Amino acid sequence: MVDIRLNATINGRKVSRDAKPHLRLLDFLRDDLNLTGNKEGCGAGECGTCSVFVDGMLVKSCLMPVAKAQGATVDTIESLAKSGELSVLQKAFHKAGASQCGYCIPGMVMAATAALRANPFADREEIKERLGGNICRCTGYQKIFDAVELARDVQNGRLPATALLETDTADGDVIGKSVRRIDAPSKVSGRLKYAGDMIMPGMLHVQVLRSPHAHARIVSIDTSAALAMEGVESVITSADVPGKDGFGVFVHDQPVMAHDKVRYVGEAVAAVAAEDALTAKRAVAAIKVVYEQLTPVFDPDVAMREGAAVVHDYAPDNITKHIPIRVGDVEAGFAESDLVIEENYSTQAIEHAYLEPEAGLAYVDHDDVVTVVSPSQNITHHRHMLARIIAKPISKVRFVMSPVGGGFGGKEDMIYQGMLALLAMKTMRPVRLVYTREESIISTAKRHPSRTNLRMGVMHDGRIKALAMRMVCDGGAYGLSTEGVMRKAAILAAGPYSIPNVRIDTYGIYTNNTPSGAFRSFGALQTQFATESHLDIIAERLGLDPFEIRRINAMRDGATTHTKQTLGSVSLMRALEAAEQASGWEAGAPAVRGETRGDLGHDDVRPSVTLGTRFAAGDTQEAAE
Amino acid sequence: MLICDEYLTPTSLAEAFAAMEKNRGRYRVVAGCTDTLPWAREGRAGDVEIPALIDVTKIPELNERQVGDRRVRIGAATPIQRFLDDAALGRAMPAMPRCAVWFADDQIRAQATLGGNVVNASPAADATPCLEAHDAVVELASAQNGKIVKRSMPLRDFITGPGKTQLAEGELVTGFECDALAGFGGSFEKVGHRRSLVISVVCLAVMVKLDRDGRVIEDTRLAIAGIRPVPRRLREIEDLLRGKKLTGALLEEAADMPLDLVQSRSRQEYRRDVVRGFLVRGLIAASRRAGASPDALTQELEAAYG
Ligand SMILES: Cc1cc2nc3c(=O)[nH]c(=O)nc-3n(C[C@H](O)[C@H](O)[C@H](O)COP(=O)(O)OP(=O)(O)OC[C@H]3O[C@@H](n4cnc5c(N)ncnc54)[C@H](O)[C@@H]3O)c2cc1C
Ligand code: FES
Ligand code: FES
């Protein structure tokens, strides 16, 4: 490799350094200069976490080879807060609450800075347009746009600088008040260190070999060529697990790395720790695995049939969990109903797409405590599981939760922390693993895809007499949170409605698909999508307003749920009223609405998206100018 | 991940060709890198090791721009953003600023080059229908026996299929020569899943020139992409419109011509609907910007398609 001698002005300082020719500007800034404020959310130009100024122009540094910065002036998020004093925009983000996990925020602040430099008077539409290259997954964009508008007005003198400060709230009087987040300054300045931003002296870089097959027996793994490579410190496989291998939120059915067989495409098979990530990558490519293909099963309904391929020996019927609920006599309920309606519903797998891809760091400290730092949403549980896996007393295992750059349930599973711990123990050096976006999508849990059959018996006046639901979910190759998701799905399946006769069965099924796991709403979405859609269909059939049928059946204070919980207070009626008002709902059965909808077209209904506000002024007669 | 042993940034054509000759069979040309870097990732080409990357963005010839009365010449390394910054260029190519504002996002189009967009030859490449509407000619250069040899060919011959062009081994695109269409009103219609960072499901470039009174279509150019392997000029529609009085009925007649344009494998019906709507909307917008007489187009038509 021929290094590039890079001369540039970075954050106001002259830099003259050798850089590897294949580095992107982002790698050079983060890895070589330790300017980790700007992040790598996707590495493909899609998210904007890497946005920096090059010669005053905002670019995505993940799409720019470092050589292009030769002679240039580069400014990163670190350049904005001079000696720790936040810029007006950063203060405005703080004030407006425009930071949640914070992972997107440095890029957002950069894009906002560029927008107001390009047009100090940009209106909200133009701000939206100019920030179009940056994605946020948790704050939501409104507060971000609010922040940019606030900063614009302060900069232009339309608002006083005090508008950026905390509104006075009396001590302790915070409920219902807009209070600034105490962790926001670290996020708007890019100073907060996520796991992928952390470094330790002597740290090794980890890469993972993943299965190309959905279901295959591992005949042999030959790591000798990889181990022989210069710069490679260690290669581990399932054979390196000293204790009882297996993790999972309910059943411990998932090995740290595939053991004997692989069960989904993307499953970890081996891991390498090397002096740099490129060497680790090359070593991964040098590992030889011989597989013997097994028949895979991809459809949960097929997996439940007699004779289907078995994913886990302990569950020959491929059932991870079945949750049955029985209340009253459902058949009698249907018999006394005026109308019985049956429909099928399905939902698909969904990726959480938190902006921070999985990352973690592990080391063995001076007292032999195996320490794992990662954005885990469940460190205590992970600690207990890891102790068993590495055969150490719990006092010798520590988990540190690094800032979570978005989780949404997707970081509850101990997918990679085991590999990190094993490599740290083998090498006795700190090790770090940072997933690429693709790796995150390929290998980590998704929301359970579902198929639901639902029957409801109702009276002409809208009262529900009976509900029978059977939902089959694709749990994928490992259990993870499936059991809990099936429980919650079943518990909430009948919605907040008083129904005398209920039969619910939810099934989580093993297949050779990507595992399903925890995801915001945790099963409630799948069953309630069916129940609520069903109520709309029934409302239409009965000629009732959809709000009305819900009110007729709503649980009231003191109601008992179908899982026998007594509810002291139920806010459903208030929630319905608020929703009805906020939506400008036009009362009536769905079927009676004509072509024109009175509840659409209000001022607060979002208009369709357009681009080109910056042309708006000269929209006519441009050619004649 | 794109891995190279050497990253070369030649500052003249001669230097570039020398580097290409020296690394024959083991190099790849890059410009803005906005197609190349995402391509070298898992799920697409994966990790790619290329001994030499040759960056052509610092070659002066590839950065030149000349806007004449009849022809425009644009260097291949011109970033898409220039069509928004350079007013003279925008006037001579009236659909291009509208194309540029929909192109990727503010940041990527500062890097993404016109040459890269054409050579990458994606069926959804947004700049290609605009260039096609300008009767663009692709200028190519290579080195033979130490001498720089140039040739050129129409864009429509140069792009032969998805990802396929007539670019020869050892050859570079130096620039494009296009009709200067100052005085035309331009529009660019594009639809995808969201506002920014979006691959066109359909995109259409429209330019219209009207008579002094803004009532008669003197000339027009239309080209469409995203719905077939290569961009397509819509000469049938141009012929129908040229010399006619601008009316809503005429524009709808144009949109209803039975051209069977959609050759995509997916979402054909949707695309057909979009194409019809885009033709009317694009023609209305371009006519308005060309100074259409206020009473030429009915309000209802504008409301329906605006
Ligand atoms: C997030 C994102 C959004 C995008 N949005 C859009 C969009 O909205 N519309 C759109 O059309 N495209 C879009 N693109 C694609 C891309 O940005 C464009 O195609 C861009 O114009 C490519 O130019 P480049 O200079 O970056 O190409 P490069 O990646 O540098 O090169 C592309 C190809 O062209 C070749 N090449 C480049 N210059 C020359 C030359 N002078 N001579 C010979 N060969 C050459 C290279 O060898 C390579 O094969 C998007 C890309 C990303 C990552
Ligand atoms: S856009 Fe660069 S990391 Fe996502
Ligand atoms: S705050 Fe924007 S991604 Fe989390």
Side-chain angles (χ1 to χ4, degrees):
Chain A
M1 270 193 188
V2 186
D3 284 355
I4 294 163
R5 184 73 189 175
L6 192 83
N7 296 300
T9 305
I10 296 179
N11 294 344
R13 309 296 307 161
K14 287 252 176 295
V15 170
S16 181
R17 271 209 185 218
D18 288 337
K20 295 271 170 255
H22 68 275
L23 295 188
R24 303 162 303 167
L25 177 58
L26 180 65
D27 305 317
F28 179 73
L29 294 170
R30 288 176 53 83
D31 301 337
D32 291 13
L33 301 183
N34 198 26
L35 292 168
T36 56
N38 286 102
K39 316 288 179 204
E40 177 164 1
C42 71
E46 300 283 353
C47 75
T49 54
C50 65
S51 304
V52 302
F53 287 103
V54 174
D55 288 332
M57 198 172 58
L58 197 69
V59 299
K60 290 185 162 166
S61 59
C62 72
L63 292 183
M64 182 180 264
V66 65
K68 283 183 182 285
Q70 188 65 272
T73 299
V74 178
D75 292 301
T76 68
I77 182 76
E78 285 87 354
S79 72
L80 296 183
K82 301 262 169 357
S83 301
E85 172 75 13
L86 298 180
S87 71
V88 168
L89 250 165
Q90 287 171 317
K91 287 179 185 162
F93 269 66
H94 183 191
K95 171 67 199 266
S99 77
Q100 206 180 101
C101 84
Y103 203 78
C104 71
I105 295 299
M108 283 291 178
V109 169
M110 294 298 273
T113 304
L116 292 186
R117 277 185 196 166
N119 181 4
F121 300 95
D123 64 10
R124 199 170 176 100
E125 276 310 303
E126 183 171 344
I127 291 166
K128 281 186 195 172
E129 238 181 83
R130 291 192 183 272
L131 265 55
N134 291 61
I135 291 175
C136 174
R137 287 284 296 157
C138 34
T139 298
Y141 297 99
Q142 301 315 318
K143 288 181 176 178
I144 292 173
F145 301 142
D146 289 347
V148 186
E149 288 197 284
L150 173 61
R152 175 200 61 203
D153 291 345
V154 169
Q155 276 177 4
N156 295 334
R158 275 187 249 163
L159 283 175
T162 49
L164 298 168
L165 300 177
E166 182 110 64
T167 15
D168 277 338
T169 44
D171 240 6
D173 175 23
V174 291
I175 305 227
K177 300 271 162 35
S178 172
V179 180
R180 289 195 305 185
R181 291 178 68 113
I182 52 173
D183 63 352
S186 71
K187 291 170 176 171
V188 301
S189 63
R191 283 165 61 200
L192 182 64
K193 296 276 185 192
Y194 297 84
D197 301 332
M198 296 177 187
I199 48 170
M200 288 181 77
M203 182 177 89
L204 296 166
H205 297 263
V206 178
Q207 292 282 313
V208 179
L209 175 69
R210 300 189 176 281
S211 167
H213 304 297
H215 202 191
R217 187 156 304 289
I218 299 173
V219 178
S220 64
I221 306 180
D222 179 1
T223 60
S224 56
L227 263 174
M229 288 170 70
E230 189 189 330
V232 173
E233 270 288 305
S234 179
V235 183
I236 54 164
T237 66
S238 160
D240 293 289
V241 175
K244 196 165 169 348
D245 201 356
F247 67 88
V249 181
F250 294 89
V251 269
H252 296 170
D253 60 351
Q254 182 160 8
V256 170
M257 284 160 285
H259 182 71
D260 291 343
K261 71 171 185 174
V262 291
R263 294 183 174 86
Y264 74 99
V265 172
E267 180 168 3
V269 174
V272 175
E275 299 294 341
D276 60 84
L278 182 55
T279 305
K281 243 176 195 295
R282 288 178 166 153
V284 161
I287 299 172
K288 292 184 200 74
V289 185
V290 178
Y291 294 98
E292 179 196 319
Q293 299 270 2
L294 300 172
T295 309
V297 55
F298 297 120
D299 184 315
D301 286 309
V302 173
M304 287 173 89
R305 281 183 209 146
E306 195 79 30
V310 173
V311 181
H312 290 268
D313 292 342
Y314 94 89
D317 52 4
N318 286 325
I319 294 180
T320 317
K321 196 69 195 177
H322 168 210
I323 304 289
I325 292 176
R326 304 285 181 266
V327 180
D329 181 342
V330 176
E331 292 312 325
F334 285 134
E336 67 175 292
S337 297
D338 291 332
L339 190 68
V340 176
I341 289 182
E342 179 172 356
E343 282 291 344
N344 292 306
Y345 300 89
S346 65
T347 64
Q348 78 282 30
I350 296 179
E351 160 63 28
H352 308 76
Y354 24 75
L355 268 194
E356 178 208 25
E358 288 74 1
L361 203 86
Y363 56 93
V364 181
D365 82 357
H366 43 266
D367 289 324
D368 282 335
V369 177
V370 178
T371 306
V372 181
V373 184
S374 69
S376 152
Q377 291 183 269
N378 204 346
I379 48 173
T380 306
H381 188 222
H382 288 185
R383 181 174 176 229
H384 285 271
M385 290 192 295
L386 187 64
R388 250 182 5 148
I389 291 169
I390 61 177
K392 293 244 183 208
I394 192 87
S395 59
K396 293 291 179 195
V397 180
R398 181 193 296 143
F399 263 84
V400 179
M401 183 177 177
S402 57
V404 182
F408 320 135
K411 290 173 180 166
E412 277 192 22
D413 306 303
M414 204 182 72
I415 300 279
Y416 54 97
Q417 288 87 345
M419 289 186 279
L420 283 172
L422 292 176
L423 282 167
M425 288 160 67
K426 267 204 122 169
T427 61
M428 289 305 277
R429 287 173 64 177
V431 294
R432 189 181 80 181
L433 170 61
V434 182
Y435 275 26
T436 60
R437 172 61 55 192
E438 289 86 342
E439 224 176 348
S440 174
I441 289 179
I442 290 163
S443 65
T444 68
K446 308 282 171 271
R447 176 180 274 158
H448 287 76
S450 69
R451 285 188 194 130
T452 301
N453 174 270
L454 177 57
R455 284 171 78 202
M456 262 193 210
V458 289
M459 305 308 286
H460 286 310
D461 63 9
R463 278 176 299 136
I464 308 169
K465 282 285 165 193
L467 173 150
M469 179 189 284
R470 181 177 188 272
M471 178 174 79
V472 174
C473 281
D474 182 353
Y478 291 102
L480 300 180
S481 298
T482 290
E483 178 173 336
V485 172
M486 291 310 105
R487 266 185 213 291
K488 181 123 174 249
I491 291 169
L492 298 173
Y497 307 112
S498 292
I499 305 174
N501 306 296
V502 171
R503 181 174 71 219
I504 294 165
D505 293 280
T506 59
Y507 295 90
I509 303 297
Y510 283 123
T511 65
N512 293 110
N513 292 324
T514 312
S516 303
F519 196 127
R520 289 186 155 181
S521 87
F522 211 70
L525 174 127
Q526 289 90 331
T527 48
Q528 297 204 5
F529 168 66
T531 308
E532 295 297 333
S533 304
H534 216 68
L535 283 179
D536 289 345
I537 291 169
I538 292 172
E540 184 162 347
R541 290 284 291 274
L542 296 180
L544 282 174
D545 183 298
F547 275 102
E548 198 47 38
I549 191 166
R550 287 172 171 84
R551 286 200 178 94
I552 289 168
N553 293 288
M555 285 181 184
R556 310 293 166 110
D557 291 357
T560 304
T561 69
H562 59 281
T563 47
K564 297 202 174 118
Q565 190 181 354
T566 306
L567 302 177
S569 73
V570 179
S571 53
L572 176 61
M573 294 299 274
R574 273 189 289 148
L576 285 172
E577 196 183 321
E580 193 171 9
Q581 274 183 7
S583 62
W585 186 252
E586 187 188 351
V592 305
R593 287 203 175 77
E595 283 213 334
T596 48
R597 293 272 307 268
D599 49 355
L600 294 179
H602 292 286
D603 289 348
D604 54 353
V605 174
R606 206 173 132 189
S608 65
V609 155
T610 54
L611 256 185
T613 51
R614 44 198 117 158
F615 294 121
D619 208 31
T620 47
Q621 277 278 11
E622 245 165 50
E625 275 166 29
Chain B
M1 188 176 183
L2 187 61
I3 305 154
C4 62
D5 293 329
E6 233 182 330
Y7 191 99
L8 302 164
T9 311
T11 52
S12 70
L13 266 184
E15 208 186 305
F17 289 125
M20 287 158 77
E21 178 57 34
K22 186 162 157 252
N23 291 289
R24 192 197 286 254
R26 52 197 293 284
Y27 73 87
R28 193 181 171 96
V29 166
V30 293
C33 291
T34 64
D35 271 320
T36 306
L37 280 172
W39 161 78
R41 290 185 68 87
E42 216 178 328
R44 297 185 66 196
D47 294 335
V48 183
E49 304 218 18
I50 296 170
L53 289 178
I54 303 179
D55 183 328
V56 296
T57 56
K58 295 288 185 306
I59 303 171
E61 283 96 326
L62 271 62
N63 282 296
E64 286 167 2
R65 292 195 294 283
Q66 287 125 20
V67 181
D69 286 342
R70 307 200 44 212
R71 298 289 272 175
V72 179
R73 191 189 167 276
I74 318 157
T78 302
I80 303 295
Q81 177 66 24
R82 290 302 157 268
F83 293 94
L84 288 167
D85 303 341
D86 181 338
L89 189 62
R91 270 196 297 277
M93 300 186 72
M96 248 340 265
R98 310 263 161 191
C99 167
V101 85
W102 284 102
F103 196 105
D105 63 27
D106 285 45
Q107 304 168 53
I108 290 174
R109 63 174 168 262
Q111 292 300 303
T113 68
L114 192 61
N117 198 241
V118 169
V119 176
N120 194 56
S122 156
D126 285 329
T128 56
C130 296
L131 290 174
E132 176 55 30
H134 280 266
D135 279 329
V137 171
V138 183
E139 299 176 349
L140 300 150
S142 58
Q144 276 157 31
N145 307 322
K147 278 215 184 67
I148 292 174
V149 181
K150 300 199 170 175
R151 63 174 182 138
S152 61
M153 69 175 75
L155 179 80
R156 71 188 68 100
D157 297 336
F158 181 71
I159 300 179
T160 54
K164 293 204 186 74
T165 68
Q166 297 249 33
L167 187 76
E169 175 72 41
E171 208 170 26
L172 288 177
V173 174
T174 49
F176 304 91
E177 223 206 11
C178 312
D179 288 344
L181 299 177
F184 282 64
S187 92
F188 188 80
E189 306 296 326
K190 166 171 173 175
V191 67
H193 293 295
R194 53 193 288 260
R195 166 154 43 184
S196 302
L197 301 174
V198 87
I199 292 173
S200 289
V201 175
V202 183
C203 63
L204 173 75
V206 183
M207 281 167 285
V208 171
K209 186 171 174 17
L210 300 177
D211 70 338
R212 289 178 81 101
D213 300 333
R215 291 182 187 282
V216 176
I217 300 176
E218 285 190 342
D219 200 359
T220 178
R221 305 280 181 104
L222 294 100
I224 196 157
I227 50 168
R228 28 198 313 130
V230 297
R232 183 188 190 284
R233 184 75 175 266
L234 303 176
R235 287 192 196 278
E236 301 89 332
I237 298 182
E238 294 175 10
D239 291 343
L240 172 81
L241 296 173
R242 200 172 296 112
K244 299 253 172 66
K245 194 164 168 257
L246 174 67
T247 64
L250 177 68
L251 302 190
E252 300 218 89
E253 185 188 341
D256 287 331
M257 282 184 85
L259 295 177
D260 195 19
L261 296 171
V262 178
Q263 293 179 357
S264 317
R265 272 171 300 202
S266 65
R267 304 169 75 192
Q268 295 193 350
E269 211 159 307
Y270 168 74
R271 285 177 151 110
R272 266 185 221 113
D273 285 348
V274 170
V275 169
R276 188 188 181 282
F278 273 11
L279 283 167
V280 180
R281 189 164 87 177
L283 284 164
I284 291 174
S287 302
R288 207 188 311 131
R289 289 170 198 144
S293 159
D295 55 3
L297 296 168
T298 59
Q299 297 245 313
E300 299 86 78
L301 192 68
E302 294 225 24
Y305 291 95

